[in-house]
Amino acid sequence: MALSERKLKILQAIITDFINSAEPIGSRTLSKKLGISISPATIRNEMSDLEDMGYLTHPHTSAGRVPSDKAYRLYVNSLMEKYELQEDDKNKITARLSNKFDELDKALANAAEILSELTNLTSFALTPGVDSNRLKYINLIPVDEKNLVMMLVTETGKVSNKIVKTTEPYSKDKIEFLSKFLTVNYKGKKLSDIMATDILESCEKDLTNIGKLVENIMPNFLSTLENMMNVELFLDGMTNIFSIPEYNNLERAKMFLEIINRKKELTEVLLNRDSGVIITIGNENIDQAIQECSLITASYCVDGKCIGKLGVIGPTRMNYGEITSIIEYMTENLSKSFRLTEGEEDE
Amino acid sequence: MALSERKLKILQAIITDFINSAEPIGSRTLSKKLGISISPATIRNEMSDLEDMGYLTHPHTSAGRVPSDKAYRLYVNSLMEKYELQEDDKNKITARLSNKFDELDKALANAAEILSELTNLTSFALTPGVDSNRLKYINLIPVDEKNLVMMLVTETGKVSNKIVKTTEPYSKDKIEFLSKFLTVNYKGKKLSDIMATDILESCEKDLTNIGKLVENIMPNFLSTLENMMNVELFLDGMTNIFSIPEYNNLERAKMFLEIINRKKELTEVLLNRDSGVIITIGNENIDQAIQECSLITASYCVDGKCIGKLGVIGPTRMNYGEITSIIEYMTENLSKSFRLTEGEEDE
DNA sequence: ATTAGCACTCAAGGTTAATGAGTGCTAACA
DNA sequence: TGTTAGCACTCATTAACCTTGAGTGCTAAT
């Protein structure tokens, strides 16, 4: 059976209505709402067909129809009209985003906050990922006779440092040498690649003259690298779940919040998503736990590389058009502001 | 009316029972549970007295009795028996705490996680506070011709740094001079004091010879300081609330989570608490929003200064003895490990 | 192909009654 | 005088039952 023009129209009406009301919609109500006059009975027949085709379901015999994941997918791909953000909203977003972008972490936490407020959903922001992260700057800075600070900066602007305690006083020469050695060997290399090679061994061969110092510093070098590889997840608007009818019962709200709070797993899910605007609906999600939710994510760029993610998670019944526009606009904005602050080599 | 020996015994029995069961307890049940045989009728009389004195309440006429905040206070102050952690538990805690204390933030997040698991409550950890935080180390490090890194370290081991972009190429001499200038002027000073003085003005007087560089750097100096003053709050075990009978309904769970997620306000509340082990019960809390909860916090020390906090929040019906012991033990442990890693001047 | 009509279904909400854990009071008892 | 047994009373909780109304599916007429 093919999807006639009319079927599509009915399906679309059901979906948009359900997105707004969260109530199953019946034939009589729908008949009244549709512009053209089709009788409830006809609509019932069409609905029945749509159900056979897998686009609608029934919570129970005497309830109205509800769109299935398949219906949402069709909706997102072709039925949904493009949502244009108001100029006014755009300005508000831009203003709030540009508040404080001097620290990546803060900017992202801020972005997540804005996003959850605008969408009334749970939002998240993920710091730039590992893959294309390269070391840009390595330095060892003396503090006092037995303490020094190791500082690493990546191309994406991530800074990490650590106080290193040496077992015996060090000479300035030695740490300068080591600093240069590290720079020569690892600058421009990917974090993951450095981690993968057996650094400790190769260093100890080359650096026998510095002796003990290497023993103090290299393990710290590695652990700091590891540290920088850890993407960080910012969540916001968790309690928005309580105002969503679908989650208006303890069991479901609890489940949702427990999933959301398993940050490691959630991060994993997000890291595995492609770049660009990605929408996954209900059972399209590979992860069992979130097959009742939809996820919309988009990636933002730092230094021209699209590796961080911003997005929302909520019930499959969400306003895909509007939310997608918001996220897209926000990530574009973030990308722009990160380019401006971090470096302007291209100008 | 005075609290007779027997009244105390009855009150204590009611409290311990209620802490475990969360159910109002009646005279008959209590009579059976008490070692000595007192008839239900007598217990009823005593209960009635205790209610008049404000130690007990009634959810409704035909329900058992429930301890009031006043009762819990009495319990905590004098009735409660000291809870001794098992050697076994202690070892487990120590082992998990010492896992990774190379970064303060991680160690605290980890501590909060352990604490919420052990208590089945919502836990939090607060990074060291502002008051006694002094600058220990200031440095400006050249990266490339127009970028440098400003690094600040406090006595409590907090490190913060920021990439500063200068409007025009700088000379090494100048930044070294500025670095020394800042060190001479601000090392050992409290962050808050530095923030309070009108730095910009005084600098521009003294530093006319460096010109533009000051304009680039000083605002960053200030914002980085501000940054370091921000204490950070780590929360864990939020969803534990769902397994607590008191919160077994949407409204209350929602309220609780919303309060907990207003991190700024929560931080404020925690910052205002004294050092040492502090227990506040229900209406003893100044903050309206948490007057149905009890808070237990203890402070841990970094570098011998007790300024960070670790604690839990939950219903007034909580196992004060056990939880207090756990928190106390954990903060002691944290203080120890922070002393060992950060410096051993005293040995 | 469309529609009106009708029997049927079922969740939700309201009413009622039974249950039982608990109280307060009174009078008897040691 | 403090303690206890007994009894009437209260009230949250639960289950059983009924009513309502939104909705369906099917059939027969248009």
Side-chain angles (χ1 to χ4, degrees):
Chain A
M1 200 181 327
L3 276 169
S4 68
E5 196 66 25
R6 192 170 67 183
K7 278 197 176 61
L8 281 176
K9 197 159 195 169
I10 290 174
L11 186 55
Q12 180 174 36
I14 293 174
I15 295 174
T16 51
D17 189 278
F18 187 70
I19 283 177
N20 290 320
S21 71
E23 296 292 332
I25 180 164
S27 54
R28 220 173 90 87
T29 330
L30 189 59
S31 163
K32 276 185 260 177
K33 271 190 187 152
L34 277 173
I36 6 118
S37 60
I38 318 179
S39 82
T42 312
I43 291 180
R44 276 205 288 285
N45 289 331
E46 296 285 46
M47 279 175 156
S48 180
D49 289 351
L50 285 167
E51 185 160 355
D52 287 344
M53 295 159 85
Y55 290 107
L56 296 177
T57 44
H58 248 164
H60 55 88
T61 12
S62 69
R65 296 310 211 287
V66 163
S68 67
D69 293 349
K70 187 177 171 188
Y72 285 122
R73 170 50 61 196
L74 181 68
Y75 177 76
V76 166
N77 286 354
S78 43
L79 264 41
M80 168 173 98
E81 65 238 37
K82 180 88 184 136
Y83 182 91
E84 269 300 326
L85 280 180
Q86 303 275 326
E87 212 45 51
D88 195 39
D89 293 336
K90 283 190 185 177
N91 292 338
K92 269 185 208 158
I93 294 176
T94 312
R96 289 191 58 189
L97 274 181
S98 60
N99 249 352
K100 37 178 172 185
F101 47 53
D102 46 303
E103 259 193 85
L104 187 69
D105 284 6
K106 291 224 169 130
L108 289 178
N110 183 37
E113 188 183 326
I114 298 169
L115 183 55
S116 74
E117 277 174 32
L118 291 176
T119 59
N120 281 311
L121 294 173
T122 302
S123 66
F124 44 78
L126 205 62
T127 54
V130 183
D131 298 343
S132 39
N133 235 354
R134 289 167 192 280
L135 263 189
K136 178 183 182 178
Y137 178 75
I138 307 164
N139 200 4
L140 299 172
I141 306 141
V143 174
D144 57 38
E145 61 164 1
K146 284 174 82 178
N147 283 293
L148 48 84
V149 169
M150 162 161 20
M151 162 179 273
L152 305 177
V153 183
T154 68
E155 287 180 348
T156 59
K158 210 165 179 174
V159 182
S160 184
N161 46 38
K162 191 166 174 179
I163 297 184
V164 179
K165 222 182 146 50
T166 60
T167 43
E168 49 198 57
Y170 56 82
S171 77
K172 237 180 174 173
D173 289 350
K174 280 189 180 169
I175 73 155
E176 252 168 44
F177 176 80
L178 189 51
S179 200
K180 274 184 193 139
F181 174 86
L182 290 173
T183 304
V184 168
N185 281 281
Y186 301 113
K187 185 175 174 176
K189 294 251 166 74
K190 284 189 190 175
L191 300 187
S192 46
D193 288 349
I194 304 177
M195 296 289 296
T197 55
D198 195 346
I199 283 187
L200 285 180
E201 200 172 297
S202 65
C203 283
E204 278 174 14
K205 240 184 291 167
D206 294 344
L207 295 172
T208 41
N209 57 325
I210 313 192
K212 279 257 164 123
L213 194 53
V214 179
E215 282 172 37
N216 292 139
I217 290 175
M218 290 318 288
N220 283 299
F221 180 58
L222 285 176
S223 75
T224 308
L225 278 181
E226 198 181 305
N227 207 337
M228 298 183 85
M229 286 179 62
N230 278 338
V231 290
E232 211 177 331
L233 179 67
F234 298 96
L235 277 173
D236 210 307
M238 272 177 288
T239 53
N240 282 345
I241 200 68
F242 288 111
S243 54
I244 296 173
E246 276 89 336
Y247 290 88
N248 210 339
N249 88 55
L250 260 185
E251 263 319 298
R252 298 207 56 189
K254 176 182 172 176
M255 280 254 297
F256 180 84
L257 288 171
E258 277 173 355
I259 290 165
I260 288 296
N261 275 293
R262 267 185 254 127
K263 287 200 173 187
K264 278 202 185 137
E265 292 170 43
L266 186 57
T267 305
E268 206 55 46
V269 169
L270 298 176
L271 277 178
N272 283 328
R273 292 168 81 82
D274 288 335
S275 292
V277 178
I278 302 287
I279 302 177
T280 50
I281 300 166
N283 56 28
E284 293 173 6
N285 289 300
I286 303 153
D287 204 288
Q288 278 283 338
I290 54 171
Q291 293 199 339
E292 291 191 328
C293 297
S294 285
L295 239 66
I296 306 185
T297 54
S299 35
Y300 61 83
C301 309
V302 174
D303 243 18
K305 281 159 199 155
C306 292
I307 34 187
K309 296 238 166 59
L310 181 72
V312 300
I313 181 167
T316 51
R317 177 190 67 80
M318 60 164 77
N319 194 330
Y320 292 95
E322 182 177 355
I323 296 172
T324 305
S325 302
I326 294 174
I327 296 181
E328 205 168 0
Y329 185 74
M330 286 186 69
T331 49
E332 278 166 14
N333 236 286
L334 283 176
S335 300
K336 236 180 268 171
S337 72
F338 289 147
R339 195 170 59 232
L340 287 173
T341 44
E342 300 301 341
E344 286 151 323
E345 297 95 298
D346 45 4
E347 286 170 49
Chain B
M1 200 182 326
L3 276 169
S4 67
E5 195 65 26
R6 191 170 67 182
K7 278 197 175 59
L8 281 177
K9 197 158 194 170
I10 289 174
L11 186 55
Q12 179 173 38
I14 293 174
I15 297 174
T16 49
D17 189 277
F18 187 70
I19 284 177
N20 290 320
S21 72
E23 297 291 333
I25 180 165
S27 54
R28 220 174 90 85
T29 330
L30 189 59
S31 161
K32 274 186 260 174
K33 269 189 189 156
L34 276 173
I36 5 116
S37 59
I38 317 179
S39 80
T42 311
I43 291 180
R44 276 204 289 283
N45 290 332
E46 296 287 47
M47 279 175 156
S48 180
D49 290 349
L50 285 167
E51 185 160 356
D52 288 344
M53 296 159 84
Y55 291 106
L56 295 178
T57 44
H58 248 162
H60 56 86
T61 12
S62 68
R65 296 311 210 288
V66 164
S68 68
D69 293 349
K70 189 176 170 187
Y72 286 123
R73 171 49 61 196
L74 182 68
Y75 177 76
V76 166
N77 287 354
S78 43
L79 264 42
M80 167 173 99
E81 66 238 36
K82 179 87 184 136
Y83 182 91
E84 270 300 328
L85 281 179
Q86 303 274 327
E87 213 46 51
D88 196 38
D89 293 336
K90 284 190 185 175
N91 292 338
K92 270 185 207 156
I93 295 176
T94 313
R96 288 191 58 188
L97 275 181
S98 60
N99 249 352
K100 36 178 172 185
F101 47 51
D102 45 304
E103 259 193 87
L104 188 68
D105 285 6
K106 292 226 169 125
L108 289 178
N110 182 39
E113 187 183 326
I114 297 170
L115 183 55
S116 74
E117 277 174 32
L118 290 176
T119 59
N120 281 311
L121 295 172
T122 302
S123 66
F124 44 78
L126 206 62
T127 54
V130 184
D131 299 343
S132 40
N133 234 354
R134 289 167 190 281
L135 265 187
K136 177 182 184 180
Y137 178 74
I138 306 164
N139 201 4
L140 301 170
I141 306 139
V143 175
D144 56 38
E145 62 165 0
K146 283 173 80 177
N147 283 294
L148 49 83
V149 169
M150 163 163 16
M151 163 179 272
L152 305 178
V153 184
T154 68
E155 286 181 347
T156 58
K158 211 165 176 175
V159 181
S160 183
N161 46 38
K162 190 165 174 179
I163 297 184
V164 178
K165 223 182 142 53
T166 61
T167 43
E168 49 198 58
Y170 55 82
S171 77
K172 237 179 173 175
D173 289 348
K174 280 189 181 171
I175 73 155
E176 252 169 43
F177 175 80
L178 189 52
S179 198
K180 271 181 196 143
F181 175 84
L182 290 173
T183 303
V184 169
N185 281 280
Y186 302 113
K187 186 176 173 176
K189 294 252 168 73
K190 283 188 191 176
L191 299 187
S192 46
D193 289 348
I194 304 176
M195 298 287 297
T197 55
D198 195 346
I199 282 187
L200 286 181
E201 202 172 295
S202 67
C203 282
E204 277 172 15
K205 240 184 291 166
D206 294 345
L207 296 173
T208 41
N209 57 326
I210 314 192
K212 281 258 163 120
L213 194 54
V214 179
E215 283 172 37
N216 292 139
I217 289 174
M218 291 317 288
N220 283 298
F221 181 57
L222 286 175
S223 74
T224 308
L225 278 181
E226 198 180 305
N227 206 337
M228 298 184 85
M229 286 179 62
N230 279 337
V231 291
E232 210 177 333
L233 179 67
F234 298 95
L235 279 172
D236 210 306
M238 273 175 288
T239 53
N240 282 345
I241 201 68
F242 289 111
S243 54
I244 295 173
E246 276 89 336
Y247 290 88
N248 210 340
N249 88 54
L250 259 185
E251 263 319 297
R252 299 207 55 190
K254 176 182 173 176
M255 281 253 298
F256 180 84
L257 289 171
E258 277 173 356
I259 291 165
I260 288 295
N261 274 293
R262 269 184 254 129
K263 287 199 175 188
K264 278 202 185 137
E265 293 170 43
L266 186 56
T267 305
E268 207 55 46
V269 169
L270 298 177
L271 276 178
N272 283 329
R273 292 169 81 81
D274 288 335
S275 293
V277 178
I278 303 287
I279 302 178
T280 51
I281 299 166
N283 55 29
E284 292 174 6
N285 289 300
I286 303 151
D287 203 289
Q288 277 283 339
I290 54 171
Q291 293 197 341
E292 291 190 328
C293 297
S294 285
L295 240 65
I296 306 184
T297 54
S299 36
Y300 61 83
C301 309
V302 175
D303 242 16
K305 282 159 198 155
C306 291
I307 35 186
K309 297 238 165 60
L310 181 72
V312 300
I313 182 168
T316 51
R317 177 191 67 80
M318 60 164 77
N319 195 330
Y320 293 94
E322 182 177 355
I323 295 171
T324 306
S325 302
I326 294 174
I327 296 180
E328 206 168 0
Y329 185 74
M330 285 185 71
T331 49
E332 277 167 15
N333 235 287
L334 283 175
S335 301
K336 234 178 272 172
S337 71
F338 290 145
R339 194 171 59 231
L340 286 174
T341 43
E342 300 300 341
E344 287 151 322
E345 296 93 298
D346 45 6
E347 289 170 44

